[in-house]
Amino acid sequence: MYGLGLLKGLIVTMKNLISPGRMFTIHQYPDRKISPLGLSKLEGKNVISWGINNPVKFLKSLLGLISVPDKIAQSPRFRGQEFTWYEQRCTGCASCAKYCPLGIIKIVTSPSGKAVPEGQKYAIDVFDIDIGRCMFCGLCVEACPYDALHMGSGFEEGTYQRKDLVINVDRLKSAPKKPSTWFRPQLEELGYDPDSGDEITWDQIGRHERPSLSDQEDKWVKR
Amino acid sequence: MSIRTEPVTINLGPQHPSTHGVFRLRVTFDGETVVDVDPVFGYMHRGTEKLAETRSYVQIVTLTDRLDWVSSMSNNLAYVRAVEALCEIEVPQRAQFLRVIAAELQRIASHLMATGFLVNDMGAFATPLMYCFRERERILDLFEILCGARITLSYMRPGGVFQDAPKAFWDNLDALMKEMPIYIDELESLVTTNEIVLARSKNVGVLTAEQSINGSLSGPMLRASSVDWDIRKSNPYEIYDKLNFEVPIGKNGDVFDRYLVRIKEMRESLKIIGQCVDMISEGPVRADVPYNIRPPAGDIYSSIEAPKGELGFYLVSDQSISPYRCKIRSPSFMNLSLLREMLVGWKMSDLIVILGSVDFVMGEVDR
Ligand code: SF4
Ligand code: SF4
């Protein structure tokens, strides 16, 4: 019979319109309209008593005039912008720069105050990452032998000029240290989640056991 | 009284919503009937094959993400398999299972998109497409948990995968495995018995088995023409020989059969993933392979069954850290080779539907 298929299709569409699990949720990113129910829940109160105490807010939210920031769930491995870099761990070996398929990492080092043979690292003068060209493949992070470079977790880095997209060493130093757990199994073992967790310091993030000071002296300083 | 008509040549694309990318088709119409077509490629040529010659073997993985951007996992898999064959790398079992799970998830995502756009091209504007996208989004969420990206995944590496799947992945995968069959049923009840879809797709754009073999088609396009050819069966790679699944075959080789084959393949993929989840065992996920691989001199061709068909990589090594030549046999490009046979004689509106049923992605056609 003609029309049966059309009818079936209409039923499917109707089901999607009304059944709660199947509805399209529209994220009004970055803000989400919130109902009185949600708002009272946010404040940890019963909706009735909250509504009686805050009638204006209640009415406003009922009319859809109140919105709260909306954050879409993000997995800890998310490869985000704004690389997390630990000055204390980086030796300036430039493995990351060599491994980047696009060659967008620029590193300039100079021997630091103390002589290099003493086991001291190089001072890092320039560490530019041009994230305007970066494709967030994470190969640089994979290449870093000292766990100094990590993917970031943010993604809102809109700027007005392309040149602002070059992350230089100062920005890397001052950036919030919330690394993604991508290619960092030790962070996953910690159960670290950059989305909700705190900043993490350089000595917590290493993959290898740190040699003791005497060990270091034996191995490297008094060679 | 007969009306004297003259053929008119018009350009479909390169900027046309129904060409799914920057694809230009010069069509000669007689009235509303197609009398000749002349495809023009190259608007999205990014020189992937040439770029590959200056990248190291691991870096090329990131280039393959951008070939067919709706099935990056399969591209990754095809490429790393070629490198592994070239260097004779033994891949750990767990990595193979993970790779198959990822590739089959990607097949579902790709077929969902193909179906959505096909129905969209038939005039069911956006509603079924949005349903397909909603389900595909679930798979992309899984990929984000797995490897931190949604489209440009770069999950696989020569010798395995870069990292094991986290626990959250398995939980979400279980939930998806339960819900996906319901989604597919729903999509089918929306589309399969719909009279408009049937009228627009049955016996439209027919390719016979002989034609499709001669045109070296592959994937759902070929199987819709009742040719039983699937590399997962005929030349099993990874762990496909241990898995139990069927290869759906069409009958007529028309647009409707291509749609049906894709729907059935999604169900088979779910079956495969279920078996993999049961069979997977603990172990390492990456063979001991150096970052800079120097394969022995030689060449290799290795292909897999990507969602769109046979995706092959031909690599020539001269013992340096990057391939001397990297040729990509992309299914989208090959599947477009029979455009004239499919399109000539059909009306303008059928042309759009037939193009939609080919399911090509321009990133792969132009490479
Ligand atoms: S993420 Fe990839 S493209 Fe970006 S800097 Fe690192 S290696 Fe280069
Ligand atoms: S970030 Fe890592 S790879 Fe890059 S220079 Fe520092 S230590 Fe080397």
Side-chain angles (χ1 to χ4, degrees):
Chain A
M1 196 187 88
Y2 278 114
L4 210 65
L6 294 183
L7 219 62
K8 249 189 191 166
L10 279 177
I11 291 169
V12 171
T13 315
M14 204 43 150
K15 243 200 303 201
N16 273 280
L17 194 68
I18 52 178
S19 66
R22 307 289 293 138
M23 261 190 279
F24 279 100
T25 37
I26 298 166
H27 281 276
Q28 281 165 329
Y29 181 81
D31 291 332
R32 170 168 55 102
K33 300 246 162 57
I34 192 161
S35 70
L37 213 66
L39 209 55
S40 61
K41 215 187 252 169
L42 263 188
E43 296 188 9
K45 292 201 183 89
N46 172 309
V47 64
I48 298 169
S49 64
W50 177 84
I52 291 167
N53 287 334
N54 307 292
V56 183
K57 262 192 182 172
F58 184 87
L59 272 180
K60 262 187 162 176
S61 59
L62 210 58
L63 293 173
L65 293 177
I66 294 185
S67 47
V68 292
D70 192 8
K71 198 147 198 282
I72 296 166
Q74 191 178 318
S75 104
R77 276 192 191 177
F78 179 75
R79 307 202 286 255
Q81 292 185 344
E82 105 259 288
F83 291 83
T84 308
W85 177 70
Y86 291 93
E87 192 196 354
Q88 295 91 333
R89 298 195 75 93
C90 179
T91 59
C93 67
S95 295
C96 48
K98 277 178 212 138
Y99 215 51
C100 173
L102 305 175
I104 55 172
I105 303 181
K106 181 181 174 191
I107 296 176
V108 178
T109 56
S110 57
S112 57
K114 291 174 196 166
V116 182
E118 272 179 29
Q120 288 296 319
K121 65 186 190 75
Y122 284 85
I124 294 166
D125 302 331
V126 177
F127 197 119
D128 283 351
I129 307 178
D130 181 1
I131 60 166
R133 286 175 59 206
C134 180
M135 56 186 173
F136 307 104
C137 60
L139 286 182
C140 49
V141 177
E142 196 175 323
C144 179
Y146 304 104
D147 289 1
L149 190 66
H150 308 260
M151 298 307 289
S153 51
F155 55 90
E156 296 159 301
E157 296 275 300
T159 56
Y160 286 103
Q161 287 169 320
R162 283 194 80 92
K163 69 171 195 285
D164 294 343
L165 283 169
V166 180
I167 311 185
N168 56 24
V169 69
D170 298 325
R171 242 175 96 185
L172 279 171
K173 274 180 194 163
S174 61
K177 303 283 188 245
K178 287 198 171 183
S180 145
T181 64
W182 192 87
F183 210 75
R184 295 288 177 252
Q186 74 273 23
L187 282 183
E188 264 171 14
E189 271 162 32
L190 283 178
Y192 180 72
D193 185 353
D195 215 18
S196 53
D198 296 329
E199 294 193 13
I200 193 161
T201 55
W202 69 274
D203 47 352
Q204 289 171 303
I205 208 162
R207 194 184 314 209
H208 316 287
E209 238 164 58
R210 227 154 24 108
S212 68
L213 268 179
S214 60
D215 234 26
Q216 285 182 29
E217 277 188 10
D218 284 351
K219 271 197 186 132
W220 290 295
V221 182
K222 301 185 199 142
R223 253 175 315 180
Chain B
M1 189 186 87
S2 69
I3 304 169
R4 193 180 64 87
T5 57
E6 256 175 39
V8 181
T9 303
I10 61 167
N11 278 310
L12 185 80
Q15 308 292 343
H16 188 284
S18 289
T19 58
H20 306 203
V22 277
F23 170 53
R24 176 164 154 230
L25 196 62
R26 285 183 10 193
V27 200
T28 310
F29 287 107
D30 182 6
E32 239 198 288
T33 313
V34 179
V35 291
D36 195 17
V37 291
D38 184 12
V40 185
F41 304 126
Y43 288 93
M44 200 178 254
H45 179 72
R46 294 157 302 171
T48 307
E49 292 179 356
K50 196 72 194 163
L51 281 174
E53 291 168 17
T54 56
R55 300 279 190 280
S56 78
Y57 281 95
V58 175
Q59 289 172 346
I60 296 170
V61 174
T62 63
L63 292 179
T64 63
D65 282 345
R66 287 145 182 87
L67 287 175
D68 171 1
W69 49 76
V70 298
S71 55
S72 315
M73 279 292 185
S74 309
N75 303 344
N76 283 183
L77 182 60
Y79 170 70
V80 297
R81 277 194 53 76
V83 178
E84 282 155 9
L86 195 58
C87 316
E88 292 169 4
I89 297 171
E90 190 81 26
V91 185
Q93 274 280 311
R94 187 176 174 84
Q96 295 194 7
F97 275 104
L98 278 171
R99 289 184 345 180
V100 168
I101 292 175
E104 292 301 327
L105 279 174
Q106 187 74 80
R107 187 184 312 276
I108 300 174
S110 171
H111 283 350
L112 274 173
M113 215 159 137
T115 311
F117 275 113
L118 172 64
V119 184
N120 199 30
D121 286 346
M122 285 181 198
F125 189 69
T127 307
L129 176 66
M130 282 300 130
Y131 293 163
C132 290
F133 262 63
R134 180 179 57 190
E135 323 321 3
R136 174 173 172 263
E137 200 69 11
R138 301 277 311 266
I139 297 176
L140 297 192
D141 284 344
L142 267 178
F143 284 158
E144 189 188 319
I145 297 171
L146 185 61
C147 60
R150 300 168 73 85
I151 306 286
T152 51
L153 306 157
S154 300
Y155 178 52
M156 300 176 194
R157 299 279 186 275
V161 299
F162 77 80
Q163 207 177 342
D164 205 346
K167 193 180 166 297
F169 175 76
W170 300 111
D171 301 343
N172 281 286
L173 184 64
D174 280 347
L176 183 84
M177 292 286 294
K178 282 203 195 77
E179 286 162 30
M180 207 63 190
I182 308 172
Y183 295 161
I184 299 176
D185 285 345
E186 188 182 276
L187 183 65
E188 268 214 278
S189 65
L190 191 65
V191 180
T192 309
T193 49
N194 188 302
E195 285 87 359
I196 300 175
V197 170
L198 290 177
R200 294 285 310 267
S201 62
K202 278 256 176 192
N203 295 322
V204 174
V206 179
L207 283 179
T208 63
E210 201 190 341
Q211 270 177 324
S212 8
I213 291 173
N214 289 346
S216 67
L217 300 195
S218 54
M221 286 281 287
L222 178 67
R223 291 193 284 275
S225 306
S226 70
V227 183
D228 189 357
W229 174 257
D230 187 320
I231 301 173
R232 290 176 294 173
K233 282 275 186 209
S234 58
N235 183 15
Y237 52 94
E238 302 286 289
I239 42 148
Y240 279 111
D241 47 350
K242 290 185 203 146
L243 302 171
N244 175 22
F245 63 99
E246 271 152 40
V247 179
I249 308 287
K251 272 207 257 352
N252 308 324
D254 54 7
V255 173
F256 186 70
D257 274 5
R258 284 171 211 147
Y259 154 77
L260 265 192
V261 164
R262 291 203 179 99
I263 292 277
K264 285 182 190 155
E265 265 185 27
M266 283 196 253
R267 295 190 199 279
E268 292 301 319
S269 292
L270 283 175
K271 242 165 75 183
I272 295 176
I273 298 169
Q275 290 171 34
C276 286
V277 172
D278 290 340
M279 285 160 73
I280 194 166
S281 53
E282 292 295 314
V285 293
R286 194 168 177 179
D288 204 3
V289 177
Y291 275 169
N292 271 338
I293 302 168
R294 262 177 216 276
D299 60 342
I300 197 96
Y301 176 78
S302 147
S303 62
I304 68 156
E305 184 75 28
K308 295 178 175 60
E310 176 182 352
L311 173 62
F313 277 81
Y314 176 65
L315 294 175
V316 183
S317 155
D318 59 353
Q319 271 187 312
S320 67
I321 57 167
S322 46
Y324 176 76
R325 174 87 172 95
C326 170
K327 161 89 181 83
I328 302 160
R329 187 252 188 238
S330 65
S332 297
F333 180 63
M334 293 293 185
N335 287 355
L336 282 174
S337 61
L338 288 186
L339 270 185
R340 188 168 287 122
E341 281 77 353
M342 278 190 283
L343 292 176
V344 169
W346 291 99
K347 296 273 191 292
M348 188 179 206
S349 52
D350 297 320
L351 180 147
I352 302 290
V353 176
I354 296 170
L355 273 185
S357 78
V358 178
D359 180 26
F360 56 95
V361 166
M362 283 321 277
E364 204 177 40
V365 175
D366 291 340
R367 301 193 289 282

